Amino acid sequence: MKSRIEKRVAKVIENADTLDKRAYLTVDCDGVIKRKKMNFSIPLMVFCKSDEMFMRVLERESNRTERFKEKKIDRLSNIPIDKLKENFIKLVIKGELEFSKKYGKELALKDKEEFIKTLFNLSLMDNIYFYKPLMALAMREILNAVGWIDEIGYLVISYFTKQRYDLSCLESSEEIEDRSIEIPKDFENLALLAYKKVLESYSYKNEKKYRMMLLNGIKNQDKALQWEVGGELLNNTKFLIEAVAEID
């Protein structure tokens, strides 16, 4: 996986200014809500074995109408790890990208493991059908393979902040003591599989609630990964599911 990431990172950097979105959620004057889907270029950069598929998705996801020119992310000095973590969480939840990217970068450079755990925890708080856990898993592999890269770190944190948080499930969730949550062998919901993988990666203060959210998601799951690539509808994409299942 490391060599795959090293080979593709230049392509993502080259197209980084067209891979972001101005907003992942919009509301019109009639109260109609529209959510844009996550850009899958970064997860496929990590998990997709096929170079042809990766390049096809990268080309499809590049949108020049939403082009941005991201500058180098400034460093923050003399801020302790616990304060970096606290502010990073608050800023991401509030959707404040300008400062969250700086706190995220500084945390990742000063304590990579703490940054990953914090990103994982942020992904578990959100709507269980979103793909933040998948993006977080991809970011961990990228950091382990090539370290922090401003363009990629920006795209990941931008997605976390701009796709506004839906904390209603977390707020209403009860706690469950049972740690062994089994997923059926034929289960093909990528969002929930990634959620389970992230949940099992660390111990979390809220993990009893996260486990209940996962259990409810498995019982009630009615959503699956669907996104078009070159006119082809990829539904329950096998190679991504297999790749996530193989992560240590």
Side-chain angles (χ1 to χ4, degrees), residues 128-141:
I128 198 165
Y129 295 112
F130 291 172
Y131 289 101
K132 285 178 181 174
L134 180 65
M135 184 71 91
L137 288 168
M139 186 61 181
R140 180 179 66 177
E141 300 303 319

Side-chain angles (χ1 to χ4, degrees), residues 9 28 40 56 66 89 103-104 115 213:
V9 67
D28 66 16
F40 279 84
R56 194 147 54 102
E66 300 201 53
I89 292 172
Y103 278 91
F115 170 77
M213 288 168 64

Side-chain angles (χ1 to χ4, degrees), residues 124-163:
L124 295 172
M125 294 179 191
D126 209 348
N127 186 312
I128 198 165
Y129 295 112
F130 291 172
Y131 289 101
K132 285 178 181 174
L134 180 65
M135 184 71 91
L137 288 168
M139 186 61 181
R140 180 179 66 177
E141 300 303 319
I142 292 167
L143 285 173
N144 288 337
V146 296
W148 176 272
I149 296 173
D150 274 2
E151 292 86 348
I152 294 176
Y154 172 86
L155 289 170
V156 172
I157 294 174
S158 175
Y159 172 64
F160 268 69
T161 55
K162 289 181 180 178
Q163 192 194 51

Side-chain angles (χ1 to χ4, degrees), residues 128-129 169 187 189 192 212-224:
I128 198 165
Y129 295 112
C169 290
F187 192 78
N189 188 303
L192 297 185
M212 179 59 80
M213 288 168 64
L214 177 59
L215 185 62
N216 289 335
I218 293 170
K219 289 178 179 178
N220 303 316
Q221 75 97 13
D222 57 356
K223 300 180 181 180

